[in-house]
Amino acid sequence: MWKLDHEEGYFRVYDSRRTIAGYFDPDYGPLPAGDEGQDIVDRMIRDGDPVPGGTLMVPLIKFGLFDTDLDAQISDVEASVGGAAAQLARWRKYLADAGGPPHSVRISHTDQDMLTISFPVYFERPVPVSPGELLGELGPILDALQGAGLL
C-alpha cells in the first residue's frame, strides 16, 4: 500500500493512490557539509548501509483558509477552524498514547495553508537504507497514523 521514492537523501512516502503522504529523512549520522556529505549519503543509499532511524514528516492540518483568493463567510471559517481543532485533538490523543514523543510543527514547504508534524522514528535494530527495508519498519507506523484518521 505504501511506497517510498528516494530523492536527494530523503524518501517521499506515497499512499495507495500515489498521493504524497509524507517524507522520511534517514539518520545518516554526522556528515560533513557540502558535496562531501552528499557523497557519503549517496554511497550509503547505493550500498544499503544501515541507519538507526530518522525523522518522519506528515501533514498535521490543512486549513483551507490561507489561499490568496479566499472569499468566505464566517460560518465557512468557523467550520474550517472546527475541523482543524478536531484534527488537533486526534493528534494530541495519538501522541499521548505514544508516550508523548518529541515532535515539531511547521508550515509545510509545499503548501502555506498546511501545517506538518515531524517526529523521530527509532528502529529496534539498524535498517538498510532501501525502500523495501525502510517500509518494513515505517509501514506499521503509517498504518497506525492512517487508522487513527491522521493521514
Side-chain angles (χ1 to χ4, degrees):
M1 160 186 226
W2 304 103
K3 183 175 190 240
L4 292 181
D5 280 342
H6 170 253
E7 184 172 313
E8 298 182 17
Y10 66 91
F11 291 83
R12 289 181 185 210
V13 179
Y14 291 94
D15 64 16
S16 60
R17 298 175 309 206
R18 294 282 301 156
T19 302
I20 293 178
Y23 300 89
F24 180 69
D25 186 13
D27 176 2
Y28 296 107
L31 296 169
D35 289 342
E36 185 180 351
Q38 187 59 50
D39 290 345
I40 292 171
V41 167
D42 291 344
R43 181 197 49 78
M44 289 179 74
I45 292 169
R46 183 187 67 242
D47 296 346
D49 287 357
V51 294
T55 301
L56 183 63
M57 181 180 72
V58 295
L60 176 71
I61 298 171
K62 171 90 168 142
F63 289 98
L65 292 175
F66 301 108
D67 296 322
T68 56
D69 62 344
L70 178 68
D71 182 14
Q73 297 195 1
I74 195 76
S75 59
D76 299 326
V77 174
E78 184 178 37
S80 182
V81 171
Q87 184 71 350
L88 281 174
R90 284 190 290 277
W91 269 105
R92 190 177 313 108
K93 179 179 179 348
Y94 179 84
L95 290 171
D97 291 349
H103 59 277
S104 176
V105 175
R106 298 178 182 227
I107 295 173
S108 170
H109 69 278
T110 58
D111 184 348
Q112 297 295 300
D113 191 44
M114 181 186 297
L115 296 178
T116 61
I117 185 168
S118 299
F119 50 90
V121 173
Y122 304 103
F123 303 143
E124 287 186 29
R125 58 170 175 69
V127 172
V129 183
S130 75
E133 295 283 342
L134 291 172
L135 269 179
E137 298 293 322
L138 295 175
I141 297 168
L142 295 166
D143 289 344
L145 290 171
Q146 188 175 53
L150 301 173
L151 289 181

